[in-house]
Amino acid sequence: MNAIDVKDLSFGYTAEQVLSHIDLSIKEGEFVCISGGNGSGKSTLLKLILGELKPESGSVEIFEKEVSKISSFNDLGYVPQVNVVNKISFPVTCKELVSLAMYEDFGLIKIPKKKHYQKAIEQLNEMGLREYIETPFNELSGGLQQRTMICRAMINKPKILILDEPTAGVDLESKESLFELLSSLNKDKDVTIVLVTHELEAIKDKSLITKHYRLEEGSLELC
Amino acid sequence: MLEFDFMRRTLAVSLMLSIAVPLIGIIMVNRRTAMVGDALSHTSLAGVGLGLILGFDPILGAIAICIVAAFSIESIRKYFPQFGDMATAVTMSAGLGFAVILSDIAPGGSSFETYLFGSISSVTSFDVISTAVVFVLVLASSIIFYGGLLDIVIDGNLARLSGVNVKLVNGLFTLLAAVTIALACKVVGALLVASLIVLPVATSLIVSRSYKQAFLLSVLLGVIYTMLGVSFSYYFDIRPGGAIVANAVIGMLLFLLFKAVRKKLKPSSARQIS
Ligand SMILES: Nc1ncnc2c1ncn2[C@@H]1O[C@H](COP(=O)(O)OP(=O)(O)OP(=O)(O)O)[C@@H](O)[C@H]1O
Ligand SMILES: [Mg+2]
């Protein structure tokens, strides 16, 4: 079964098209990288896949279901581009941030319960963030913030993980450990990975990458 | 002061508002739209003017105008994010402009002043009942949608993916914020409602180390500032809005001082993780 199916997708914020006639299918268990220059539409493509934006024409399916008809996205983890998350200027701890992803499980009163915090703590431990469980997110470095966001994205054990430039502004060491984390998720837990990045060179074991696309002038090309 | 009926009404309304307004405030401040509160409270004055001229309770006018203004600002913020700030300013100017014109036509200039600066002597039984209804709704929504509201502030798209009904939660919040702010104008005064929205939250954000802490502390500070302010207003015959804000500013300075001292004494506790 295909994890993601994009068919003949076109989109523009204004009259000018950002994406035109994009086709992309990603099978379960694949590790797909998408690169492209600034403003080429990488984030836009991800937002269309996630159903945040509506396509002008064409379709997006996740596990063979039209994205606009999906009622629960728990199969899908998303890590937004860091400048999106950076704007958190108020204190919210990593534990709080991660537990929010279990919203659908909160019950009638949408406050994280003890078991959700417990699960968040376990996940943070597992991802090497033990020290930062009670730390306000806005006090973390960029790399640790990314790690926390990946932790949040993974909390429901999604089958697909979509990441938008998770290594922007992260030092080389953290970059490598981030990619190691992604490869182990892909290899050991069979998570399908869609990674937007400029920094393929930091991925040591390139054999993991099943496909590499470049987005240029609105169209997607296999490299 | 409890021996007077009017003071009992005022204290009841103040207590409920001092809890409801920071609950609205923590969302508005964290998503960086605190000025929307200012715009709404000023715009509500146009509703007060309409009420005075057409002969219905000015508070109803204030509520109606506030709701219209709140949803206009929200939709402009949504569809033209780059103009969000300007929409707030334009709405505020338009509302205030109308209010000034209406205040010239309206009979009974002193009622106008009540809404401008706030008053402890003009709270009616109807105000108590309407505030109680809104208070219960705000409190219930803040608890029921605690996680959803927080997640939307963090990132609307992530919130939607986690299963938050973003449209519903946003709509409910906008509606309740508008009504709460309109009601608060009577005691706190339209000119100063924004201070009650911002100051308890700002103070709590200075010292809090988690959202839960910030949430609870904002409410606690709102209650302390407001109840002290209203009491001062009664005993020293000053306007409640001014007294509340003065308390809040002093409180904020004390917290800043506290934080500075704590940092000096225990430099490691405030270390920045980089
Ligand atoms: N909300 C928006 N409204 C209007 N235009 C937008 C909006 N978001 C993006 N654009 C435009 O769409 C194009 C693609 O943007 P997008 O963010 O998808 O690029 P990107 O490939 O992710 O770039 P980057 O590498 O900088 O993250 C750009 O020209 C951008 O200016
Ligand atoms: Mg991008």
Side-chain angles (χ1 to χ4, degrees):
Chain A
M1 185 157 62
N2 277 347
I4 296 174
D5 251 319
V6 174
K7 283 187 200 126
D8 197 29
L9 179 78
S10 298
F11 179 84
Y13 292 96
T14 54
E16 194 190 343
Q17 288 220 318
V18 176
L19 302 170
S20 51
H21 307 289
I22 301 269
D23 286 293
L24 171 69
S25 30
I26 297 172
K27 290 190 199 64
E28 266 185 285
E30 279 199 278
F31 192 133
V32 173
C33 288
I34 300 172
S35 57
N38 291 124
S40 57
K42 305 180 296 295
S43 300
T44 305
L45 176 60
L46 294 190
K47 284 179 190 158
L48 284 156
I49 292 175
L50 294 163
E52 173 72 1
L53 297 171
K54 303 267 164 292
E56 251 163 53
S57 64
S59 67
V60 175
E61 288 177 8
I62 292 173
F63 291 121
E64 297 178 355
K65 192 157 185 203
E66 177 71 41
V67 71
S68 60
K69 300 201 172 79
I70 293 174
S71 54
S72 167
F73 285 91
N74 281 348
D75 273 349
L76 210 147
Y78 170 54
V79 179
Q81 205 167 348
V82 76
N83 53 18
V84 178
V85 195
N86 255 351
K87 67 174 191 232
I88 302 176
S89 56
F90 54 96
V92 50
T93 63
C94 294
K95 183 179 84 179
E96 288 177 315
L97 188 70
V98 171
S99 61
L100 284 177
M102 290 171 274
Y103 191 83
E104 284 179 4
D105 192 46
F106 288 169
L108 197 61
I109 293 176
K110 302 295 187 189
I111 299 180
K113 312 290 179 319
K114 211 174 185 150
K115 65 171 178 182
H116 303 113
Y117 284 133
Q118 201 52 48
K119 202 170 156 199
I121 290 170
E122 280 164 25
Q123 183 84 16
L124 284 160
N125 278 339
E126 203 177 306
M127 296 226 175
L129 293 163
R130 182 184 298 270
E131 283 175 69
Y132 308 110
I133 289 166
E134 301 289 348
T135 307
F137 181 80
N138 57 349
E139 289 181 13
L140 297 178
S141 66
L144 291 171
Q145 288 192 344
Q146 285 295 3
R147 221 165 232 278
T148 310
M149 292 311 288
I150 295 175
C151 191
R152 175 188 163 132
M154 288 306 300
I155 195 89
N156 295 315
K157 308 220 181 315
K159 298 194 188 105
I160 307 173
L161 183 60
I162 297 179
L163 307 102
D164 197 349
E165 296 194 43
T167 52
V170 172
D171 66 37
L172 191 64
E173 206 181 318
S174 316
K175 243 174 232 171
E176 287 177 352
S177 84
L178 245 158
F179 285 133
E180 255 162 51
L181 177 68
L182 294 182
S183 28
S184 81
L185 288 172
N186 179 244
K187 248 192 320 201
D188 309 333
K189 306 216 161 130
D190 246 1
V191 180
T192 308
I193 300 214
V194 182
L195 172 66
V196 164
T197 184
H198 292 297
E199 297 165 294
L200 283 167
E201 65 277 13
I203 302 181
K204 279 199 209 124
D205 184 6
K206 294 234 177 12
S207 66
L208 277 170
I209 300 169
T210 49
K211 273 183 206 140
H212 173 206
Y213 292 96
R214 260 193 83 76
L215 194 55
E216 234 167 323
E217 288 168 8
S219 48
L220 207 54
E221 278 149 41
L222 199 59
C223 299
Chain B
M1 59 184 164
L2 282 170
E3 64 271 28
F4 296 107
D5 260 355
F6 83 89
M7 266 321 276
R8 283 205 293 269
R9 285 198 298 271
T10 303
L11 287 169
V13 166
S14 304
L15 181 63
M16 293 188 283
L17 286 175
S18 68
I19 295 170
V21 174
L23 288 175
I24 302 289
I26 192 155
I27 303 300
M28 283 201 167
V29 171
N30 286 344
R31 67 174 196 189
R32 299 183 186 178
T33 56
M35 291 316 290
V36 171
D38 212 18
L40 292 182
S41 61
H42 285 67
T43 308
S44 74
L45 287 169
V48 170
L50 280 178
L52 290 173
I53 292 170
L54 301 176
F56 54 85
D57 191 335
I59 206 75
L60 293 178
I63 291 172
I65 294 282
C66 250
I67 293 175
V68 173
F71 280 97
S72 321
I73 293 175
E74 283 312 301
S75 46
I76 297 174
R77 237 165 54 79
K78 186 168 165 213
Y79 293 108
F80 307 97
Q82 64 275 38
F83 299 137
D85 205 28
M86 205 163 71
T88 311
V90 169
T91 308
M92 177 156 142
S93 324
L96 208 50
F98 274 118
V100 169
I101 295 171
L102 293 173
S103 77
D104 283 332
I105 310 171
S110 66
S111 338
F112 222 90
E113 212 171 281
T114 301
Y115 288 91
L116 207 51
F117 296 109
S119 144
I120 54 172
S121 57
S122 60
V123 176
T124 63
S125 310
F126 175 71
D127 293 335
V128 179
I129 295 167
S130 46
T131 308
V133 172
V134 174
F135 167 71
V136 170
L137 290 174
V138 171
L139 190 64
S141 316
S142 296
I143 293 171
I144 293 172
F145 294 114
Y146 174 92
L149 282 163
L150 172 58
D151 217 12
I152 292 173
V153 172
I154 290 170
D155 186 80
N157 189 21
L158 275 180
R160 177 183 63 89
L161 294 172
S162 297
V164 180
N165 188 336
V166 177
K167 265 202 186 121
L168 173 80
V169 175
N170 269 339
L172 186 66
F173 175 79
T174 303
L175 179 68
L176 290 175
V179 180
T180 308
I181 289 168
L183 287 173
C185 288
K186 201 150 183 186
V187 177
V188 186
L191 292 181
L192 293 172
V193 169
S195 329
L196 191 57
I197 295 175
V198 174
L199 288 170
V201 178
T203 313
S204 82
L205 292 181
I206 293 172
V207 289
S208 295
R209 301 288 293 166
S210 71
Y211 182 74
K212 191 168 150 197
Q213 224 177 49
F215 183 89
L216 296 172
L217 188 57
S218 301
V219 172
L220 181 68
L221 290 174
V223 171
I224 294 173
Y225 294 157
T226 306
M227 298 322 273
L228 278 179
V230 171
S231 311
F232 290 157
S233 166
Y234 174 81
Y235 287 113
F236 303 115
D237 198 20
I238 50 177
R239 290 186 201 273
I244 294 168
V245 171
N247 286 338
V249 172
I250 293 169
M252 188 157 177
L253 291 175
L254 286 176
F255 270 92
L256 279 171
L257 191 71
F258 166 75
K259 194 176 182 186
V261 169
R262 192 178 62 176
K263 202 168 167 182
K264 259 221 161 90
L265 292 179
K266 223 172 47 173
S268 63
S269 76
R271 82 179 199 279
Q272 196 81 16
I273 296 146
S274 56

